[in-house]
Amino acid sequence: MLKGKTALITGGSRGIGKAIALAMGAQGANVALFYAGNEKAARETCESVKKLGVEAECWQCDVSDFEASGKSVKEVLSRFGNIDILVNNAGITRDNLILTMKKEEFDEVVDTNLKGSFYMIKHMCGPFMKQKRGTIINIASVSGMMGNAGQANYSSAKAGVIGLTKSVARELAPRGITCNAIAPGFIVTDMTDKMQDAAKESVVAMIPLKKMGRPEDIANTAVFLASENAAYITGEIIKVDGGIYI
Ligand code: NAP
């Protein structure tokens, strides 16, 4: 389905990004991964993707650093020739109640989740416009749609990602570039592993499908959005959340 394409996936070392890398690799895409600091996990993911018969390489790249991400994007372009799919998946949480949330906790989350996505789109829109095609997939969150106590920073950042998605979709559509977002609900990864068991149980009780999602649930949607089957979809936010925000 994605044979001959190259996908650049931020935060591809673990969790949802890793599942997207494997799913896109399984569909024939070459994969470039950005990770923050977990080199071992990134290399392992690369090796697993290569076993699918495609090319894969990883870059240590902090997406909240504009200069660093610009440099890494250039390196990916010279290594793979071109990039067809950009997945802005890198994300962090710094949960805290608003009363005790530090300014740094707000800034860090916005810098990585929202500004990081903007920076990557900035770096890639030139190459995408030149080749007159490109697919951008942003990983948002239902927290950005419904809000979540303890996540004022994260909900704000993800709501921003949704606004970014819609504006970029409108702006780049005439150039043959699509931009969509996936809004996951609660997915089993290191990010949600930090939650207390009691908190997890109360979340699951709120989910109509009565279970947390798997990284593969998000990856399958990302593969669809990157495929020709989704060629006429842009500016869309697809919730993959077990119904928690119906
Ligand atoms: P995760 O397991 O914690 O993995 C986070 C990934 O992002 C890792 O690959 C990490 O790299 C990378 N990363 C973090 N900060 C980075 C930075 N500044 N620059 C580059 N890479 C960075 O998280 P996840 O659950 O898979 O989440 C992936 C995305 O889905 C995030 O955007 C998250 O907000 C979103 N999401 C997750 C859930 C959920 O329930 N899990 C729900 C809604 C939305 P290292 O391995 O090097 O640290």
Side-chain angles (χ1 to χ4, degrees):
M1 208 188 256
L2 304 177
K3 202 167 166 31
K5 302 214 167 188
T6 297
L8 168 53
I9 302 160
T10 68
S13 46
R14 294 183 283 125
I16 291 170
K18 175 180 180 175
I20 294 173
L22 288 166
M24 291 196 173
Q27 293 299 329
N30 296 320
V31 170
L33 302 180
F34 285 0
Y35 65 97
N38 199 333
E39 185 177 352
K40 186 168 176 282
R43 292 205 179 283
E44 280 170 12
T45 302
C46 263
E47 288 313 309
S48 305
V49 174
K50 279 188 206 161
K51 284 190 185 132
L52 300 166
V54 294
E55 292 179 49
E57 203 164 316
C58 56
W59 278 260
Q60 190 286 320
C61 172
D62 176 358
V63 294
S64 69
D65 181 334
F66 183 75
E67 309 299 331
S69 57
K71 184 170 169 277
S72 297
V73 164
K74 281 199 184 116
E75 287 171 15
V76 176
L77 283 168
S78 80
R79 162 68 177 80
F80 286 97
N82 64 298
I83 296 167
D84 305 280
I85 303 155
L86 167 65
V87 184
N88 284 314
N89 165 79
I92 55 166
T93 50
R94 297 284 183 267
D95 295 357
N96 214 335
L97 296 172
I98 192 82
L99 192 64
T100 43
M101 184 177 285
K102 296 190 188 80
K103 178 186 177 296
E104 293 73 29
E105 289 169 331
F106 194 92
D107 289 344
E108 274 172 44
V109 168
V110 169
D111 286 353
T112 300
N113 295 273
L114 176 56
K115 288 190 184 174
S117 301
F118 165 69
Y119 294 163
M120 290 299 295
I121 293 170
K122 271 289 285 170
H123 299 315
M124 277 309 302
C125 65
F128 277 161
M129 282 158 91
K130 209 165 154 198
Q131 67 197 23
K132 296 192 176 64
R133 68 189 154 78
T135 305
I136 302 166
I137 301 168
N138 297 322
I139 305 300
S141 168
V142 289
S143 287
M145 304 173 93
M146 61 193 274
N148 195 15
Q151 290 197 315
N153 49 1
Y154 185 76
S155 300
S156 304
K158 293 302 193 183
V161 167
I162 289 170
L164 175 70
T165 302
K166 292 181 181 179
S167 293
V168 169
R170 285 185 184 275
E171 214 171 296
L172 298 184
R175 309 294 191 128
I177 300 157
T178 61
C179 182
N180 293 291
I182 301 172
F186 285 83
I187 310 298
V188 179
T189 68
D190 294 343
M191 186 176 272
T192 46
D193 202 40
K194 291 184 237 163
M195 291 165 69
Q196 309 274 350
D197 284 348
K200 276 189 207 163
E201 277 166 30
S202 63
V203 160
V204 169
M206 288 190 297
I207 303 172
L209 286 176
K210 295 294 169 221
K211 58 180 179 186
M212 289 175 69
R214 303 163 305 138
E216 292 75 15
D217 294 321
I218 310 304
N220 292 337
T221 309
V223 166
F224 165 67
L225 284 174
S227 75
E228 276 305 306
N229 293 332
Y232 199 55
I233 300 176
T234 197
E236 192 55 74
I237 317 301
I238 302 185
K239 288 184 280 126
V240 182
D241 69 346
I244 197 168
Y245 187 48
I246 292 174

